[in-house]
Amino acid sequence: MTPLTKHDLLPYAEYELARQTIRQNIIALKKRRRISVGPYITLVFENRETLLFQIQEMIRTERIFEPEKVQEELDVYNAILPADGNLSATLFIEITQEEDIQKRLDTFHNIDQPETVLIKVSNHKVDANFEAGHSKEDKMSAVHFVQFNPSPIWIDALKTLTCEASMVINHEQYQERQEVPEALRLEWLADLGETLS
């Protein structure tokens, strides 16, 4: 996907006027691009629209106006933007019991290892590649950025609706699988520049 630049951003006042409509559209888009896998893990698959919204919201909330600070935000979010032929997601470990947050998070150590988070389509799978720095021996982050680099044969299977697609977590403390809804599958195909067969 084409990196986001300052030319993609609405000026502060213009964004403020359009924000409610933009926000409603993004909520609907993220609903199609979200998948929960078991009770504690949710992935939101990112694209230019979702990340542009996050940048605009960050600028609005933090009142970022200096060009170099705006560029810093663009650089951070462009790092999450999927490269051509890839899928990108934000993975959330969602613990709601405040007193148990760190203890429960710690049970997810090594979730960033190969063959732990994957998308399976028919008999073909693609593993998540985790961004470094979110999992340490003494502290586990609740938010991770992951990329998937699918093979052409995986993409061909994804294009065929009769091939079952599922999101799989295969962690020693957490084994869950969730069928991928058609709406998300279509979003992935759009991200990959593909259509149904």
Side-chain angles (χ1 to χ4, degrees), residues 11 19-20 26 36 41 44 50 57 63 72 80-81 92 103 108 121 131 163 180:
R19 181 175 180 262
Q20 192 58 37
I26 291 295
S36 293
I41 291 183
V44 177
T50 64
E57 284 292 295
R63 297 195 170 270
E72 284 177 17
I80 306 167
L81 191 69
F92 301 94
K103 181 180 174 185
F108 285 93
V121 182
E131 183 181 65
C163 292
V180 175

Side-chain angles (χ1 to χ4, degrees), residues 34-58:
R34 174 182 284 114
I35 185 167
S36 293
V37 190
Y40 296 124
I41 291 183
T42 297
L43 293 97
V44 177
F45 283 81
E46 307 290 4
N47 67 3
R48 289 184 98 253
E49 289 174 79
T50 64
L51 295 175
L52 179 59
F53 175 72
Q54 289 180 59
I55 295 168
Q56 293 273 190
E57 284 292 295
M58 192 64 106

Side-chain angles (χ1 to χ4, degrees), residues 94-152:
E94 300 177 313
I95 314 290
T96 55
Q97 304 90 342
E98 274 196 40
E99 65 279 3
D100 291 343
I101 287 178
Q102 198 57 56
K103 181 180 174 185
R104 283 194 179 266
L105 273 177
D106 288 344
T107 67
F108 285 93
H109 273 294
N110 296 322
I111 196 168
D112 55 354
Q113 296 305 301
E115 300 192 15
T116 305
V117 177
L118 53 101
I119 309 170
K120 193 171 181 184
V121 182
S122 187
N123 294 320
H124 313 290
K125 65 180 181 65
V126 58
D127 290 348
N129 296 311
F130 282 70
E131 183 181 65
H134 295 270
S135 179
K136 300 174 184 173
E137 282 193 26
D138 61 335
K139 191 173 182 183
M140 183 71 184
S141 175
V143 180
H144 298 264
F145 302 113
V146 298
Q147 297 260 354
F148 298 87
N149 184 14
S151 66

Side-chain angles (χ1 to χ4, degrees), residues 54-70:
Q54 289 180 59
I55 295 168
Q56 293 273 190
E57 284 292 295
M58 192 64 106
I59 289 170
R60 176 183 184 268
T61 304
E62 302 291 329
R63 297 195 170 270
I64 301 169
F65 300 114
E66 301 89 344
E68 62 276 7
K69 297 286 187 187
V70 170

Side-chain angles (χ1 to χ4, degrees), residues 12-28:
Y12 185 89
E14 191 176 332
Y15 179 70
E16 200 63 39
L17 287 173
R19 181 175 180 262
Q20 192 58 37
T21 300
I22 292 170
R23 189 169 174 275
Q24 288 172 347
N25 290 338
I26 291 295
I27 287 170

